[in-house]
Amino acid sequence: MEGGIDEIFERFLVESKIFRDRDKLLPDYVPNELPHRTQQIMQLAKILAPALGGYKPSNVFIYGLTGTGKTAVAKYVLRKLQEKAQDRVLFSYVNCRQNSTSYRVVAELARSLGTRIPFTGLSTSEVYRRFVSSLDRRGRIMVVVLDEIDHLVKKSGDDVLYFLTRVNEQLSSSKLSLIGITNDLKFTEFLDARVKSSLGEEELVFPPYTARELEDILRQRAAEAFNDGVLEPDVIPLCAAIAAKQNGDARLALDLLLKAADIAEREGASKVTADHVRQAQKEIEKNVTVDVIRTMPLHHKLVLLAVYLLEKEGARNITTGVIYNKYLEISRLLGIDPVTQRRVSDVINELDMAGIINARVVSLGRYGRTKIIKLSTSVRSIEEGLQEDLFMLGALEMVTR
DNA sequence: AATCCACAGGAAGTGCTGGGCG
DNA sequence: CGCCCAGCACTTCCTGTGGATT
């Protein structure tokens, strides 16, 4: 658009005024100090320490909401342990969201032992077998971290875990310890009782960070990531306060800080201000809702479009019936088979649950009992979310005009 | 007090999809 | 490979209901 492509690239070639090292704010960076997690670090270290003496550590189960430092602590302790252990202890970290099948998890573990496993073609039990023999050949303690373990269980059940918790019976010279990480407490209900008790030999709980604690975390990262004095003093407290409201999510706090700084940089400002943070917050929120809208099924989009158009026409007190008629009209124009009003009624509830619209049941006396609906999202994010496959949006407005 | 509107929302059934299993 | 089954989106049919109007 305006400016040139050269200018865009140029900006990254010249030294940044704001950032010293932007990467330090990215979610997967593990710093050298983890403020307010010393207790968890010590606990985990105590549990894993026996590995240094050649004894099998207990299995550990770690819970905590998103952004409470579970992954960071696990990686941190592992790193330290590895430094001490040299090659006497084997480590493997697997993210079960990316590797959500039993095959891939075990293949990943085997790979970390240097055993190549084709990404497909073998039976799962063959992969298990190869992993066991390659581990036993090494004659070492192996510590395995399964991050986001709930994804694995939800997708593939708990037989891998069953296998991994009992694999020591098949090993003669090696031992395996498991560290399971999750933010979903309820998922243990789906676990086999034996797996559950074995995995839960030790349990660590990560409480949400308070606003104060988040501030410390941000300050520490900011010192690494930013040039001196580029943050206005109220920036960090604001990021911390916003994130503290969202379950003390450190990832969100860091993301806010990063986005705010990006905005400042883009503007060519020399300082990051509280206002940049507020813009960043809006952007993050918008991105979430835009994403939700973008991934909705067709009829949800059509219903949303109906509400959107009605509001744009200035309609007041929009009811289910009014929406349904508009929806029928839109469907007809686009040549799409409409669903029934009963279904649309449910769709309206689902949109309400998603926080995109606001629907509330009211009785209009003689004029029936219905729902009154209004948008509860900015018009902009709705337009943006619908844009993609509702190229029709523009076309429609022309038709309905 | 009775009526009646414009739906809400429950129950049961249909048709489709995709994964697991022999 | 076909078969079965679960889960889902949706339909059909239905009974229920708060309160303005009669």
Side-chain angles (χ1 to χ4, degrees):
Chain A
M1 311 288 181
E2 76 244 46
I5 187 165
D6 291 326
E7 196 180 312
I8 297 171
F9 293 155
E10 210 64 44
R11 197 162 287 165
F12 286 90
L13 290 175
V14 299
E15 201 140 306
S16 164
K17 274 186 276 186
I18 305 260
F19 291 112
R20 192 202 312 275
D21 184 356
R22 187 174 176 279
D23 291 350
K24 298 285 165 72
L25 292 175
L26 297 180
D28 45 356
Y29 171 69
V30 181
N32 288 320
E33 301 281 319
L34 295 173
H36 303 291
R37 281 296 174 255
T38 34
Q39 198 198 330
Q40 283 79 7
I41 289 171
M42 296 310 262
Q43 281 182 39
L44 187 57
K46 250 181 235 165
I47 295 166
L48 296 184
L52 293 172
Y55 301 102
K56 175 197 160 335
S58 298
N59 293 334
V60 193
F61 201 59
I62 298 181
Y63 356 80
L65 299 174
T66 38
T68 50
K70 305 179 294 293
T71 305
V73 164
K75 283 186 170 172
Y76 176 86
V77 173
L78 243 55
R79 196 163 74 195
K80 292 283 181 195
L81 189 59
Q82 194 153 26
E83 283 168 17
K84 286 269 186 263
Q86 304 299 341
D87 61 345
R88 281 174 292 161
V89 183
L90 304 166
F91 297 96
S92 190
Y93 170 91
V94 180
N95 183 304
C96 303
R97 190 205 289 269
Q98 285 141 31
N99 304 287
S100 62
T101 64
S102 5
Y103 185 100
R104 273 199 270 166
V105 167
V106 180
E108 201 58 40
L109 296 179
R111 203 164 299 151
S112 77
L113 297 175
T115 302
R116 296 282 307 149
I117 301 276
F119 66 90
T120 182
L122 301 181
S123 71
T124 309
S125 54
E126 174 61 16
V127 181
Y128 285 5
R129 217 188 47 73
R130 292 192 189 186
F131 168 67
V132 170
S133 75
S134 110
L135 174 55
D136 216 13
R137 234 179 295 127
R138 300 292 293 272
R140 295 281 142 86
I141 301 286
M142 181 175 194
V143 178
V144 169
V145 178
L146 298 177
D147 204 350
E148 309 199 69
I149 196 172
D150 46 322
H151 278 86
L152 175 63
V153 174
K154 268 177 216 152
K155 187 141 177 251
S156 320
D158 59 358
D159 18 317
V160 215
L161 297 184
Y162 188 72
F163 163 73
L164 288 174
T165 50
R166 307 198 39 175
V167 72
N168 289 320
E169 296 163 14
Q170 302 176 47
L171 295 167
S172 47
S173 56
S174 292
K175 293 282 170 232
L176 182 134
S177 288
L178 279 180
I179 302 176
I181 303 180
T182 179
N183 53 26
D184 181 0
L185 273 178
K186 280 184 296 177
F187 102 101
T188 53
E189 290 168 18
F190 306 114
L191 289 181
D192 181 293
R194 282 165 295 185
V195 172
K196 198 162 143 186
S197 68
S198 166
L199 197 56
E201 285 171 353
E202 299 280 354
E203 296 192 356
L204 287 188
V205 178
F206 283 55
Y209 292 109
T210 64
R212 281 273 168 67
E213 293 169 346
L214 288 170
E215 279 188 38
D216 290 336
I217 293 168
L218 291 174
R219 262 184 242 293
Q220 174 231 24
R221 292 293 186 97
E224 295 183 40
F226 293 114
N227 289 321
D228 295 331
V230 298
L231 296 187
E232 293 270 325
D234 48 353
V235 165
I236 284 180
L238 182 56
C239 291
I242 294 168
K245 267 187 222 144
Q246 294 278 324
N247 306 320
D249 183 347
R251 188 186 311 170
L252 174 63
L254 289 162
D255 198 34
L256 273 168
L257 189 56
L258 175 63
K259 289 257 159 61
D262 278 342
I263 291 169
E265 176 114 318
R266 221 180 299 147
E267 285 179 358
S270 57
K271 287 194 168 220
V272 184
T273 66
D275 203 52
H276 290 134
V277 176
R278 281 186 276 270
Q279 284 182 51
Q281 184 188 13
K282 279 201 197 112
E283 195 179 304
I284 290 172
E285 274 170 15
K286 200 187 85 185
N287 285 345
V288 171
T289 51
V290 167
D291 244 40
V292 170
I293 294 172
R294 213 193 329 252
T295 56
M296 279 188 320
L298 177 63
H299 290 283
H300 287 61
K301 287 178 179 172
L302 294 177
V303 172
L304 181 58
L305 179 59
V307 183
Y308 165 82
L309 289 175
L310 284 165
E311 280 212 355
K312 218 169 178 204
E313 287 164 14
R316 299 292 303 143
N317 294 336
I318 303 169
T319 64
T320 306
V322 174
I323 290 178
Y324 190 62
N325 285 332
K326 193 76 181 174
Y327 161 84
L328 287 179
E329 190 188 327
I330 295 167
S331 301
R332 191 154 26 79
L333 285 168
L334 297 175
I336 293 168
D337 275 359
V339 299
T340 56
Q341 176 157 341
R342 178 69 187 84
R343 178 60 189 147
V344 167
S345 171
D346 279 342
V347 169
I348 288 171
N349 286 337
E350 284 161 32
L351 291 173
D352 182 42
M353 294 292 285
I356 296 165
I357 64 175
N358 188 295
R360 118 193 106 87
V361 260
V362 291
S363 182
L364 304 174
R366 192 61 201 252
Y367 305 102
R369 194 167 173 272
T370 180
K371 279 196 282 249
I372 299 244
I373 292 104
K374 52 185 181 181
L375 295 179
S376 65
T377 318
S378 78
V379 172
R380 284 273 308 286
S381 31
I382 288 176
E383 285 169 349
E384 211 168 303
L386 291 176
Q387 218 163 26
E388 217 167 81
D389 49 350
L390 295 185
F391 49 89
M392 19 162 133
L393 216 156
L396 258 170
E397 279 178 272
M398 283 161 69
V399 178
T400 44
R401 162 40 290 137

